[in-house]
Amino acid sequence: MGSYIQGNEVTLFEQFLDQNDVPADPTTVTFYIRSAAGAVTAYVHGVDAEVVRQPNDVEGSPYFGATDGFYVCNLGPVSMAGKWPYRPEGSGAVVAANEYEFEIEPSSTIAPVSGGPQFGP
C-alpha cells in the first residue's frame, strides 16, 4: 500500500503478464478506483487520458524496461483523506486482475477533506 500526503498526485502502475509470465497487452485495460467516500470510478485505456501504456520504468521490477503490458493510471492530486482501494483489470487478449489500496494522509496544515466517519480499531 502506498501512502501520500493530501493534495499530492497519485500514480498507479500495473504490469500484465500472459499465461507464460511474459509481459503482454490486454485488449482492454481498466483501473477501477474506489474513493475514501466509497464512489467507484473506472478509467479505461484508450478512452480516458489518465491511463497510458509506457515502458516499465519502476526500478527493481523484474520487468524493468519491458514495453508490453505496463500501464500507468495518473489520478492527479487527491484531496480526500482515507483509504482508496483500486483494481487494475485486463480483458480480451490477457485476462488478469489485481487489487491494491493506497492511503491519503490528511494534511496537518490545511483543513482535511474527509470521506465521512471512519470506523475501526
Side-chain angles (χ1 to χ4, degrees), residues 2 15 17 20 27 31 36 55-56 66-67 72 75 96 99 103 110-111:
Q15 181 88 53
L17 308 174
N20 299 314
T27 306
F31 281 78
N56 183 335
T67 57
V72 175
L75 297 181
E99 294 195 1
E103 185 164 2
I110 61 174

Side-chain angles (χ1 to χ4, degrees), residues 21-36:
D21 289 333
V22 174
D25 291 313
T27 306
T28 302
V29 172
T30 305
F31 281 78
Y32 295 96
I33 316 295
R34 181 181 301 277
S35 75

Side-chain angles (χ1 to χ4, degrees), residues 1-7 78-82 103-108:
M1 172 173 85
S3 183
Y4 303 84
I5 297 294
Q6 179 183 10
V78 177
S79 61
M80 184 180 294
E103 185 164 2
I104 301 298
E105 301 289 338
S107 169
S108 61

Side-chain angles (χ1 to χ4, degrees), residues 25-92:
D25 291 313
T27 306
T28 302
V29 172
T30 305
F31 281 78
Y32 295 96
I33 316 295
R34 181 181 301 277
S35 75
V40 176
T41 303
Y43 298 97
V44 180
H45 177 256
V47 175
D48 299 299
E50 290 84 357
V51 181
V52 296
R53 180 181 176 271
Q54 67 182 42
N56 183 335
D57 61 357
V58 178
E59 299 259 348
S61 168
Y63 303 105
F64 181 81
T67 57
D68 293 330
F70 189 71
Y71 291 82
V72 175
C73 183
N74 298 301
L75 297 181
V78 177
S79 61
M80 184 180 294
K83 292 189 181 190
W84 291 62
Y86 69 97
R87 176 186 173 96
E89 183 176 288
S91 62

